[in-house]
Amino acid sequence: MAVEFDLHADPEEVPAADRAAWAAVDAELLGRLAEHVLGRLHVHPDAELSIAVVGEEEMARLHVEWMDLPGATDVLSFPMDELRPGTAERPAEGTLGDIVLCPPVARRQAEAAGHSVADELCLLTTHGILHLLGHDHAEPDERRVMFALQRDLLTDFLGRPAPVETME
């Protein structure tokens, strides 16, 4: 599984209030999580995933450009090959796409939910991967399915109950 990280921050340019959020970005942990999620969902080991980590200004720009919504958001997903989960006999092959995470937004959500920024980034990474694989939460039934799978995947990876979702 090829997971590529792109951190869009110079530590000296990160505002002091956001340094702890950026420090919580653990590329090794998130990479292992991505491999776990993709393995459980039978995505071929040669599939490619890119995870970019950006500040609020960049995330707000992307949010407007791609979703036509104002302000920074927590995670955006940009699917490439429109992969869907495979099976053990026939794993899904191709390029998954890109996930973009925003640590300052993740920090605020983690504080509101009462868990760590690292847990929130794990939750958002899993959430983003599920979007890349065609899951959505616009409708109540879709939400139940996606969030149950998200919790199951995270609980299995973390070895403890998954953090509480921060979106309604």
Side-chain angles (χ1 to χ4, degrees):
M1 193 78 46
V3 180
E4 181 181 313
F5 277 86
D6 189 7
L7 300 172
H8 290 246
D10 179 345
E12 295 178 14
E13 294 178 12
V14 172
D18 293 339
R19 288 190 186 130
W22 280 89
V25 177
D26 182 338
E28 181 182 330
L29 174 70
L30 296 177
R32 284 189 289 115
L33 170 62
E35 290 175 2
H36 171 79
V37 169
L38 297 172
R40 284 266 319 265
L41 297 177
H42 304 289
V43 175
H44 196 279
D46 291 337
E48 298 175 23
L49 169 66
S50 173
I51 301 175
V53 185
V54 302
E56 284 190 84
E57 189 174 304
E58 177 67 7
M59 185 60 101
R61 186 189 68 71
L62 291 169
H63 203 207
V64 167
E65 181 179 340
W66 293 98
M67 304 298 289
D68 202 25
L69 295 170
T73 190
D74 50 3
V75 60
L76 288 172
S77 298
F78 300 97
M80 295 293 286
D81 289 344
E82 297 187 19
L83 294 182
R84 297 298 180 260
T87 64
E89 298 77 30
R90 191 175 184 154
E93 294 186 55
T95 300
L96 281 163
D98 304 323
I99 295 172
V100 183
L101 303 171
C102 185
V105 174
R107 177 188 52 79
R108 289 193 297 275
Q109 291 181 171
E111 289 171 356
H115 55 248
S116 71
V117 178
D119 274 1
E120 183 71 11
L121 290 166
C122 285
L123 187 149
L124 296 174
T125 299
T126 304
H127 189 87
I129 291 170
L130 291 177
H131 275 306
L132 291 178
L133 290 170
H135 288 272
D136 201 359
H137 48 82
E139 299 297 325
D141 286 343
E142 293 173 332
R143 176 187 161 90
R144 275 191 290 283
V145 169
M146 181 176 179
F147 280 40
L149 180 56
Q150 179 176 285
R151 281 191 291 288
D152 178 57
L153 292 165
L154 271 172
T155 296
D156 188 43
F157 177 75
L158 295 171
R160 59 180 165 78
V164 176
E165 294 86 5
T166 53
M167 52 186 305
E168 296 183 3

